[in-house]
Amino acid sequence: MNEPVIQFEHVTKKYGEATIIPDLSFAVARGDFVTIIGSSGCGKTTTLKMINALIAPTAGDIFVQGKNIRDVDHIMLRRNIGYAIQGSVLFPHMTVEQNIAYVPNLWNKNDRKRTEAAIDKWMAIVGLDPAMKDRFPAELSGGQQQRVGIARALAASPEILLMDEPFGAVDEITRSSLQDEIARIHRETGITVLFVTHDIKEALKLGTKVMIMDHGEIQQYDTPDEVLAHPANSFVGRFFRNERHICTMPDDKIGECAYNRVHA
Ligand SMILES: Nc1ncnc2c1ncn2[C@@H]1O[C@H](COP(=O)(O)OP(=O)(O)OP(=O)(O)O)[C@@H](O)[C@H]1O
Ligand SMILES: [Mg+2]
């Protein structure tokens, strides 16, 4: 197997006496789309934020593109990792264009053309009308703001994209079209994605692998078909019960059945 893009080795996270993550080890291969699902407070956001060094582990090692992030400058590390979170994270006093340009501008202060080309490209990719360039966040719908946030996360052309419930605040139709867009971006760019969600259908639809967490521990980490067909324990089973119930197929076909349903 190729060298993993992200690797956790016996990572522990404690806050005071409370152990949030006891002993976490996993690897993400280049180009994977890993969806992370689990109960509230189980450590999903903490896990993502340890990858871009917004949170430091108490013990253990995290490797990003083969380098222990302890030994890497954290500003440099974050340049290669896009980060999109739920809700409005746009700068309210900046236009759409300025918001998206914020990151590339840091690098290309003297290369305005290149910045403009990047803005046009990413607005098109996330399905935003270029006429919206000069609007302020308050003049956009929630879904449009979300798209700007994703465009900004992608604008620096990172090799890794961390998304923390990015589609939580939008309606079903917008959500579905954002899902299709992120799936297309993943296909077309080969970017490695880690995507936290509370929506099991979203996890199954988007993930090339699904990670199910509880109490800071991985309960199962496998392809959507495999977790559906062979849930590792009753915690995992509970997530998929609704998917399983709609199937009248034999057990070994359940994965396929639910897959077809999610992709219908
Ligand atoms: N700064 C902190 N100090 C103490 N405890 C914290 C701190 N930050 C997070 N926690 C605790 O760590 C646990 C994991 O938090 P985290 O944000 O990773 O959960 P999560 O899985 O993302 O939950 P949710 O699905 O609700 O977003 C929670 O119990 C939370 O209360
Ligand atoms: Mg969270």
Side-chain angles (χ1 to χ4, degrees), residues 15 20 38-47 164-165 198:
Y15 286 111
I20 304 304
S39 31
S40 183
C42 74
K44 303 179 296 294
T45 296
T46 305
T47 300
D164 198 347
E165 301 187 44
H198 272 117

Side-chain angles (χ1 to χ4, degrees), residues 4-81:
V5 172
I6 295 164
Q7 189 159 15
F8 275 49
E9 284 185 1
H10 299 292
V11 170
T12 301
K13 180 63 191 173
K14 296 183 186 184
Y15 286 111
E17 290 298 295
T19 301
I20 304 304
I21 293 177
D23 181 7
L24 187 63
S25 298
F26 67 90
V28 178
R30 185 175 308 281
D32 261 350
F33 194 130
V34 178
T35 49
I36 305 174
I37 193 159
S39 31
S40 183
C42 74
K44 303 179 296 294
T45 296
T46 305
T47 300
L48 281 199
K49 284 185 167 177
M50 288 196 291
I51 296 169
N52 61 6
L54 292 173
I55 292 178
T58 310
D61 293 294
I62 298 167
F63 298 86
V64 173
Q65 295 175 316
K67 293 197 185 110
N68 193 322
I69 63 172
R70 253 182 246 285
D71 308 326
V72 175
D73 179 79
H74 289 171
I75 306 290
M76 294 303 286
L77 173 74
R78 283 179 208 130
R79 281 190 182 172
N80 203 18
I81 304 179

Side-chain angles (χ1 to χ4, degrees), residues 153-190:
L154 289 166
S157 299
E159 288 172 49
I160 299 166
L161 181 60
L162 308 177
M163 306 184 90
D164 198 347
E165 301 187 44
F167 308 152
V170 298
D171 65 84
E172 272 304 312
I173 293 168
T174 307
R175 190 184 178 93
S176 163
S177 84
L178 284 171
Q179 286 171 350
D180 293 342
E181 272 153 29
I182 197 67
R184 183 171 51 78
I185 290 165
H186 173 250
R187 254 194 331 269
E188 287 174 7
T189 65

